[in-house]
Amino acid sequence: QVQLVESGGGLVQAGGSLRRSCVATGNVADINYMAWCRQAPGLQLELVASVRRDGSTNYANSAEGRFTSSSDNAKNTVVLHMNNLTSEDTAIYFCTVRRPIGGYHFQYWGQGTQVTVSS
């Protein structure tokens, strides 16, 4: 099993910045993918940013140029820096990781934290 503990987030004014972090504990040796998703009221879950074990990253169009994510494999931590936030970024943000086990990928989720951007 893998446990994820998230921190950061909260309330920020439009144009401001926030930092979120996520630490994985438990069976973390094989984690090869760490990501951030978010869900705004009435909308589907959206993949915001992902980081592979080799450090390569991908971002949603909505996050490109404003959000940056990085991981520290030694500390099993992934960080999300969010800049120039707008009200459209208001959502619950979740950390998620994947582990390959026996040809399958198991995905684990953090508890999620509300991020609210006030205009």
Side-chain angles (χ1 to χ4, degrees):
Q1 288 292 327
V2 174
Q3 295 78 41
L4 302 176
V5 178
E6 302 175 28
S7 61
L11 176 65
V12 66
Q13 288 188 334
S17 300
L18 280 176
R19 177 183 182 274
R20 302 219 58 226
S21 64
C22 175
V23 179
T25 60
N27 293 325
V28 299
D30 298 323
I31 290 175
N32 60 6
Y33 176 92
M34 307 181 86
W36 294 94
C37 297
R38 68 185 181 185
Q39 187 161 29
L43 299 180
Q44 292 184 332
L45 191 66
E46 176 188 22
L47 175 62
V48 175
S50 63
V51 186
R52 297 191 181 278
R53 193 166 185 85
D54 63 3
S56 60
T57 56
N58 279 290
Y59 298 94
N61 289 337
S62 58
E64 190 75 51
R66 300 186 301 126
F67 292 8
T68 302
S69 188
S70 60
S71 65
D72 183 333
N73 294 332
K75 297 181 180 179
N76 300 302
T77 299
V78 62
V79 176
L80 179 68
H81 293 274
M82 301 181 286
N83 299 311
N84 194 21
L85 288 160
T86 73
S87 58
E88 294 185 349
D89 296 313
T90 295
I92 299 175
Y93 285 71
F94 298 90
C95 169
T96 182
V97 303
R98 288 184 193 160
R99 287 180 64 212
I101 304 175
Y104 297 89
H105 278 88
F106 284 73
Q107 192 150 0
Y108 303 87
W109 294 85
Q111 77 274 17
T113 302
Q114 178 71 43
V115 170
T116 301
V117 183
S118 62
S119 56

